Amino acid sequence: MKKILVTGGAGFIGSHLCERLLKEGNEVICLDNYFTGSKENIVHLMDNPYFELVRHDVTEPYFAEVDEIYNLACPASPPHYQYNPIKTIKTSVMGAINMLGLAKRVNAKILQASTSEVYGDPKVHPQPESYWGNVNPIGIRSCYDEGKRCAETLFMDYHNQNDVKIKIIRIFNTYGPRMNPNDGRVVSNFIVQALEGDDITIYGDGKQTRSFQYVDDLVEGMIRMMASEDTFVGPVNIGNPGEFTMIELAEKIIKQTQSNSKLVFQELPKDDPLQRKPIISLAKEKLDAWEPRIKLDNGLEKTIEYFKEKLR
């Protein structure tokens, strides 16, 4: 039995990871300050004697004897991370410093949940890990994009200078049950609007693309990355290379929800990327042939069922 710390463990992705780690027979400490996470996401785990919930902000040091750390703590949707941009960048940077310091002290292996946002509005398509990105350092998304880029730098420096055992993954758009209905992400926005019979809001001309990964595929990739050989530290893209326009996504959701919602178009937010698609050949090579298994139609079906219950 390993003792594993998950920061941001009460969030959308973190709660699924905690659940999986417990199922595999580990002891899990879930750390969250509930800025965007919710007890509702992990209440079903509370009776497990090997699950511990701690209210804590990663911008402050935390001490525990653990074997592994998954560092997920950070608001990840534009409305949430732009609500308090200073808090967002402090969470990424100071959170990384505090968790890396803990990993160094107790000789734990630590995984950083980085993001495809480090590529910014990419000039290279699709995106390999070797691409350095096209990021505005002073834009409205910079608190998140640059915070995550700085966290990657810190992870590499702690590894090179102090021999900390690190792993870096870059997460592409992920969806599934336990998404916050008000998080402003495109999948949850479209589903909620469709279920409530509202018009579906598309920013720009709707031809911009994203690649959508179901949360179970991401969790599988995270666990395989943590278990990979110590010499492979990443970064590695974890995402679904299937590419869809916003209009295609909206049409799929309207069809699956049998909604009468119409598409309405609004101005594209500043610095919003026009394309996003991962190259996952490195993940396939290094992570025991990992690749996404769940098709968008199947994942949307499960996610829509979750939101139907949530919105009752």
Side-chain angles (χ1 to χ4, degrees):
M1 179 182 283
K2 285 183 287 193
K3 193 167 187 177
I4 301 175
L5 172 65
V6 180
T7 73
F12 156 50
I13 293 170
S15 63
H16 286 276
L17 177 63
C18 288
E19 191 172 62
R20 172 73 182 273
L21 292 171
L22 287 167
K23 279 181 182 172
E24 295 190 349
N26 300 293
E27 187 175 348
V28 174
I29 302 173
C30 168
L31 206 70
D32 210 295
N33 69 346
Y34 307 120
F35 179 63
T36 57
S38 168
K39 279 187 182 176
E40 189 180 348
N41 290 335
I42 41 82
V43 70
H44 63 293
L45 305 177
M46 301 284 275
D47 290 337
N48 190 317
Y50 298 108
F51 180 74
E52 182 179 348
L53 178 60
V54 179
R55 182 191 284 265
H56 186 84
D57 191 316
V58 293
T59 60
E60 301 293 335
Y62 178 74
F63 303 95
E65 296 294 324
V66 294
D67 303 300
E68 294 176 354
I69 303 166
Y70 288 84
N71 187 38
L72 277 65
C74 189
S77 71
H80 287 158
Y81 66 65
Q82 290 168 15
Y83 171 75
N84 189 340
I86 294 172
K87 176 72 173 173
T88 296
I89 199 163
K90 284 172 72 175
T91 300
S92 284
V93 176
M94 295 170 67
I97 290 170
N98 287 329
M99 290 304 119
L100 285 161
L102 174 61
K104 179 185 172 186
R105 280 191 296 275
V106 301
N107 196 30
K109 192 188 298 185
I110 181 168
L111 179 143
Q112 168 66 3
S114 191
T115 171
S116 60
E117 297 297 336
V118 300
Y119 299 124
D121 187 7
K123 304 285 190 186
V124 173
H125 190 76
Q127 293 82 54
E129 291 86 354
S130 57
Y131 178 51
W132 290 356
N134 175 42
V135 176
N136 177 0
I138 56 170
I140 60 170
R141 302 171 70 99
S142 310
C143 58
Y144 185 68
D145 300 1
E146 295 289 27
K148 290 288 191 177
R149 285 163 69 94
C150 183
E152 286 195 17
T153 304
L154 285 161
F155 266 68
M156 290 305 298
D157 288 343
Y158 267 78
H159 173 66
N160 293 329
Q161 186 174 326
N162 297 322
D163 295 321
V164 174
K165 293 175 285 189
I166 68 160
K167 304 284 179 182
I168 300 171
I169 63 168
R170 290 175 177 164
I171 300 172
F172 282 68
N173 288 59
T174 303
Y175 70 98
R178 298 186 206 140
M179 293 184 85
N180 186 326
N182 304 311
D183 66 8
R185 299 187 213 204
V186 65
V187 173
S188 49
N189 268 6
F190 285 6
I191 290 175
V192 169
Q193 288 172 335
L195 289 174
E196 295 186 338
D198 298 331
D199 289 336
I200 289 182
T201 308
I202 293 181
Y203 296 98
D205 61 7
K207 294 177 183 174
Q208 66 270 37
T209 66
R210 293 293 185 272
S211 300
F212 299 103
Q213 164 179 240
Y214 191 67
V215 64
D216 290 356
D217 285 329
L218 169 60
V219 169
E220 179 66 29
M222 296 173 87
I223 287 173
R224 289 195 194 188
M225 181 58 171
M226 185 66 94
S228 64
E229 57 190 36
D230 286 350
T231 53
F232 179 61
V233 302
V236 61
N237 290 336
I238 303 291
N240 192 322
E243 188 176 14
F244 298 90
T245 66
M246 298 300 96
I247 291 174
E248 287 173 327
L249 176 67
E251 288 173 345
K252 281 180 179 290
I253 289 170
I254 287 171
K255 183 178 178 182
Q256 287 202 23
T257 56
Q258 300 179 319
S259 173
N260 294 318
S261 297
K262 302 288 188 287
L263 306 185
V264 295
F265 295 84
Q266 295 187 7
E267 187 178 347
L268 190 69
K270 187 171 169 50
D271 297 333
D272 201 55
L274 296 180
Q275 294 177 303
R276 192 57 64 70
K277 176 181 177 178
I279 293 176
I280 61 168
S281 52
L282 186 62
K284 287 182 179 179
E285 176 193 346
K286 296 290 190 180
L287 306 184
D288 195 23
W290 175 88
E291 63 180 327
R293 303 288 181 192
I294 298 168
K295 302 293 186 190
L296 180 58
D297 285 337
N298 297 336
L300 285 177
E301 188 178 336
K302 297 178 183 181
T303 310
I304 288 166
E305 285 307 309
Y306 167 79
F307 276 108
K308 281 181 180 176
E309 291 292 320
K310 184 87 174 166
L311 295 173
R312 274 184 182 172

